[in-house]
Amino acid sequence: MWSYQAPLRDMQFVLEHWLQAPQAWSHVPAFEALDMSLAVQVLEEAARFSQGVLAPLNSSGDRQGCRWNAGQVSTPDGFAEAYRAYVDGGWPALACAEGQGGQGLPQLLDAALQEMLYASNHAWAMYTGIAHGAYLCLKTHAAPWLQARYLPEIVSGHALPTMCLTEPQAGSDVGLLRCRATPEGDGRYRLQGNKLFISGGEHDLTPNILHLVLARLPDAPPGSRGLSLFLVPKRLDDGQANAVHCDGIEHKMGIKGSATCSLVFDGALGWLIGDANRGLAAMFVMMNSARLHVGLQGLGHVEAAWQNAGQYAAERVQMRAPSRPQGASAQAADPIRYHPAMRRVLLELRTASEGMRAIGYWTAHLLDQAEHDPDPQAQACAGQLAQLLTPIIKAFFTEQGFRQASNALQVFGGYGYVAEFAIEQTLRDSRIAMIYEGSNEIQANDLLLRKVLGDEGRAFDLLLAVLRTEAGQGGQCAACAGFADALGSLCDALARVVEAIRERALEDSEYPYRAAPDFLQLCGVALLALAWARAARVSRALPEDDPLRAAKLQSAGFFFDYLPSRLAQHLGAIDAARAALAFV
Amino acid sequence: MWSYQAPLRDMQFVLEHWLQAPQAWSHVPAFEALDMSLAVQVLEEAARFSQGVLAPLNSSGDRQGCRWNAGQVSTPDGFAEAYRAYVDGGWPALACAEGQGGQGLPQLLDAALQEMLYASNHAWAMYTGIAHGAYLCLKTHAAPWLQARYLPEIVSGHALPTMCLTEPQAGSDVGLLRCRATPEGDGRYRLQGNKLFISGGEHDLTPNILHLVLARLPDAPPGSRGLSLFLVPKRLDDGQANAVHCDGIEHKMGIKGSATCSLVFDGALGWLIGDANRGLAAMFVMMNSARLHVGLQGLGHVEAAWQNAGQYAAERVQMRAPSRPQGASAQAADPIRYHPAMRRVLLELRTASEGMRAIGYWTAHLLDQAEHDPDPQAQACAGQLAQLLTPIIKAFFTEQGFRQASNALQVFGGYGYVAEFAIEQTLRDSRIAMIYEGSNEIQANDLLLRKVLGDEGRAFDLLLAVLRTEAGQGGQCAACAGFADALGSLCDALARVVEAIRERALEDSEYPYRAAPDFLQLCGVALLALAWARAARVSRALPEDDPLRAAKLQSAGFFFDYLPSRLAQHLGAIDAARAALAFV
């Protein structure tokens, strides 16, 4: 049956060896008190919570789903108790500033926590997933009194926030939003309008829900420059219900334990966050955090898929395999993990999961550096890199989440298609992540048009420099030299392809839009190449008899064997995109 | 909302122009009475049934699912009435021989019928989908009295057959089957054992169900050479219930209206079909038919996905597109079908659907030639080709079914993830087809190891000859010359890759197993290249003002633009597979 064990060993490897995070922490006053042993303690606690409390509710939550009744939403059995345990454990405060009642731990540890939450129960973690983004948004943009009033509720977990963007006619295009906000004259506003697909818009986990709502002021210009952001609590300070209600929840393909709500704001009272008509900028603080989170959902799904497929493939016997591991004796039928097609899938799952972990955690680590690094230039570079990586993490990771869940399902054969083994749930749950918080197509345009071409390649050059530095260290170990060489060639190819796109775009301004999806995939594969070149190299620091040492080299070997075919696919498609695309 | 219109125009194009089927029919005595106008009548009737009766039950059947109660299975509301209409329409008899009470129409028309049934309601069509294979199996292997007794029931649709292979411990590996058959001494056998994942193992559509069951005789050798095939009816001729019952149905990811049953044979009476211990050969007659059917499920899903995504993309407006079709005026937001990422997806959907249709129908047409062509050599060649194509159709089409359903879902954005639009159902339904009737991994091994390498390339050379003949006809139209050239180069690449695999296999016998999955994908892409080179060429015969003429050229252009990147991916992976794969 479906199960989840937090991959603590690999998480530690990434923190300690791949990122050398303890060294970085020691240079940062904010993390002075943090060392590897404390980090491991935090991870072990998070693992206990995820494995012991959330994972057992994953399948039952899917079966039961949420129920809507006259505006009230009941979450599946056990969800509310799990949330109380989460609050009691102090998890909402993990990466919040100490000055705000938080624990002041790095985003990096929060990323590991989030991976575990999403892997063990994506639907449940939808309720908590937006909280850190809302915290950052309020902290950056809200008036001091509003911060003082509401930040402690978020940090403590006593209230949960939502992110109210989408309306029936406005999904990817926020410029089409119609929700209106009318000033009351006393600093308050009355909101009127319908919001759709609001995760956690109503539930029974917390007494109050803090809606962050994009709406238009009476004199606002049309389009996305006329949006303002408001905080609209479900309950007002006098204990009265605010004029917002949930008039239905969606019946979805997956994450059925997460309440996806239609909200009606019917003169609900709220407060402006940040400046009038600058709501999108404020919302983007939240959105960027959410996009990294969504990427971590993809990572969580790949990890869960890998664990469950690996276990099933070791237990299920079918047919003789053409070869066996040394020492395994011939039997009437072999474990299916011996069969070549299954070996390839299992290696794909493992390299995707571990490679994505390194890259996802690196992005969170960059966010920490961008906030806390004592060197202002290092701070700026880290911020630029994190911004560049965010759309790749969001889109590439979520596509991998879905693809590897499907690969894992295939390992189970017919058993994969039935609810009992729940791998089909992983596949269903994973699919939403390619859509929400900016569809993967939006991410591809954001990456290529805004963050690479729009930035004149500055951030992209920073990324190439990181890749080239890694490629230059191949001499450190004979076994890794080939990986480093391949990474070096890939850097040249990346530089060439960006240049070619830039040139072509001068005469065909639509070309970057056509090339964007494959360019993003190419960047994702390049990041995995960085992950595996470095993982192989730094694994040499592990003791000779540590099985992880051999496994990392083995995985890197597999990854680099198949790298050329992946590059050829995406480079070829970027080239093919030169041709005009018909309107059908 | 989800809807389905049978693509009659394209079906006709394939029959009349791509296959030139009427010419072929005119040379075959069995089809003398058949011409294009009769064929179109049949297709139109099938379309009316699929659109009018089945499609409206697709979503409701998914929501309601099947119910099991004390051994009885109720299908969703409307399924039984739809089945009666199907029987009344004479559809079960379509491609059965006239001597058996059938209509004697070609497999080719049956393939078009099946595509429509699967596209409009995959779950419902699971009940009828196996019937033709069972008909062929009985007709080829059963004793005359058994044929006389049971064939008319299948041809008339008064009873539905099942295919009872899988047991809990034996999925891909039929050699592990344990079900036993004990002779009664009077020509009857008593069957004992448990069968799993039996589609339509119990239902309320017909009074009798004819189970075709693989089991072992008392003296049978172990493994797959000790299997015999039995016909075990649910009801015996005296009206008594046979000792077989359904002890549960599966809760599945999709095709929820199809009852997937656990069957217990507890001394049930049955009769041997064909020779003792030759059950697998007899079953394979059924299996080959089933595999083509499963491929047509993939085609049906791609078509349904394409239609629904195309319609949504024309209606939904979001953001300004970087360019618009000639004559379209600028608005605040454009239909999303103008956006480059959506245009690419829509073209992918259309080229996959129409390309697969040509190839799928061609395979059915080859089966007709293999049965009826007056020239024995043509008969033999057609049979060899159909056998070679079957695993490609099964695996490549079903993978496309799932992939394109996911592509289509993405077009819908958040609406794609909710049940209301039912495109998520297409995705869920499509996933099973990659697993059953021989997993796609089994198909890949069957193709490369048995049908290409095992056959010393004879059938594969026949396929190459077809491709080369098409490539040689590029001179017929200037617009198509580039497509023909690309197809010619592809033939050379295919010949080289088979030769390289054969050589390498001499020193590394596991290599073909590692290369098989990508080899199958490569062959699938090559078949699409054949489809589009020929479609472009023969579309020149359409009137100048027929929109299909321009659309076919446009689609072929798109397909061949992106062909090199697809070939590079699979050729690269076949090359990468030279490296050993670790055991994880």
Side-chain angles (χ1 to χ4, degrees), chain B residues 232-491:
Chain B
V232 183
K234 173 181 165 183
R235 294 205 166 273
L236 297 167
D237 281 352
D238 57 8
Q240 294 288 304
N242 204 348
V244 49
H245 72 275
C246 168
D247 71 346
I249 58 174
E250 303 293 339
H251 297 275
K252 307 186 300 298
M253 182 184 181
I255 55 166
K256 290 175 190 264
S258 165
T260 306
C261 302
S262 301
L263 292 183
V264 179
F265 293 86
D266 193 13
L269 285 169
W271 295 271
L272 187 64
I273 299 172
D275 297 331
N277 300 332
R278 298 296 309 274
L280 210 54
M283 183 59 98
F284 253 95
V285 173
M286 193 165 175
M287 183 69 101
N288 275 328
S289 163
R291 286 178 175 176
L292 173 58
H293 270 238
V294 173
L296 295 172
Q297 291 166 6
L299 167 57
H301 288 303
V302 176
E303 174 65 31
W306 150 234
Q307 287 186 18
N308 284 281
Q311 191 172 326
Y312 185 81
E315 289 165 4
R316 174 79 170 172
V317 295
Q318 289 290 280
M319 298 187 287
R320 291 190 180 195
S323 58
R324 298 178 181 81
Q326 275 196 329
S329 57
Q331 294 175 331
D334 288 308
I336 60 173
R337 76 179 184 88
Y338 293 179
H339 290 279
M342 295 296 105
R343 269 146 64 199
R344 178 157 161 206
V345 165
L346 295 173
L347 282 162
E348 259 186 49
L349 282 159
R350 187 170 80 180
T351 50
S353 175
E354 297 181 6
M356 286 162 60
R357 180 167 300 115
I359 300 303
Y361 289 12
W362 176 41
T363 308
H365 191 50
L366 287 168
L367 290 175
D368 289 324
Q369 292 177 296
E371 197 179 347
H372 298 295
D373 200 293
D375 172 3
Q377 211 198 325
Q379 246 192 20
C381 285
Q384 271 181 288
L385 266 175
Q387 285 213 355
L388 177 74
L389 294 179
T390 299
I392 310 176
I393 302 285
K394 196 281 175 183
F396 182 73
F397 279 28
T398 58
E399 217 226 87
Q400 285 291 315
F402 178 68
R403 178 185 306 209
Q404 303 301 348
S406 179
N407 273 338
L409 190 152
Q410 192 73 11
V411 171
F412 285 79
Y415 290 103
Y417 200 66
V418 299
E420 202 180 340
F421 284 78
I423 190 76
E424 60 90 27
Q425 183 193 345
T426 302
L427 182 62
R428 286 185 289 104
D429 286 353
S430 71
R431 187 60 183 81
I432 185 58
M434 294 166 67
I435 298 170
Y436 61 20
E437 307 304 352
S439 75
N440 285 6
E441 291 71 26
I442 300 276
Q443 305 298 327
N445 289 346
D446 178 50
L447 173 67
L448 181 54
L449 282 113
R450 239 180 103 231
K451 294 188 171 157
V452 174
L453 300 179
D455 174 58
E456 296 190 345
R458 280 187 293 264
F460 196 73
D461 285 345
L462 289 176
L463 178 61
L464 281 184
V466 174
L467 269 63
R468 284 197 205 279
T469 303
E470 184 57 48
Q473 293 182 278
Q476 288 181 18
C477 104
C480 314
F483 308 149
D485 288 348
L487 184 61
S489 309
L490 173 50
C491 288

Side-chain angles (χ1 to χ4, degrees), chain A residues 173 319 323 417 428 510 584, chain B residues 173 319 323 417 428 510:
Chain A
D173 189 353
M319 298 187 290
S323 58
Y417 200 64
R428 287 185 289 105
E510 199 198 67
V584 298
Chain B
D173 189 351
M319 298 187 287
S323 58
Y417 200 66
R428 286 185 289 104
E510 200 199 66

Side-chain angles (χ1 to χ4, degrees), chain B residues 71-93:
Chain B
Q72 308 295 307
V73 171
S74 315
T75 57
D77 293 344
F79 271 38
E81 291 77 5
Y83 185 72
R84 275 198 293 280
Y86 181 76
V87 169
D88 293 346
W91 295 111

Side-chain angles (χ1 to χ4, degrees), chain A residues 424-444:
Chain A
E424 60 91 27
Q425 184 193 343
T426 302
L427 182 62
R428 287 185 289 105
D429 286 353
S430 70
R431 188 60 182 81
I432 186 57
M434 294 166 67
I435 299 171
Y436 60 20
E437 307 304 350
S439 75
N440 284 5
E441 292 70 26
I442 300 275
Q443 305 299 326

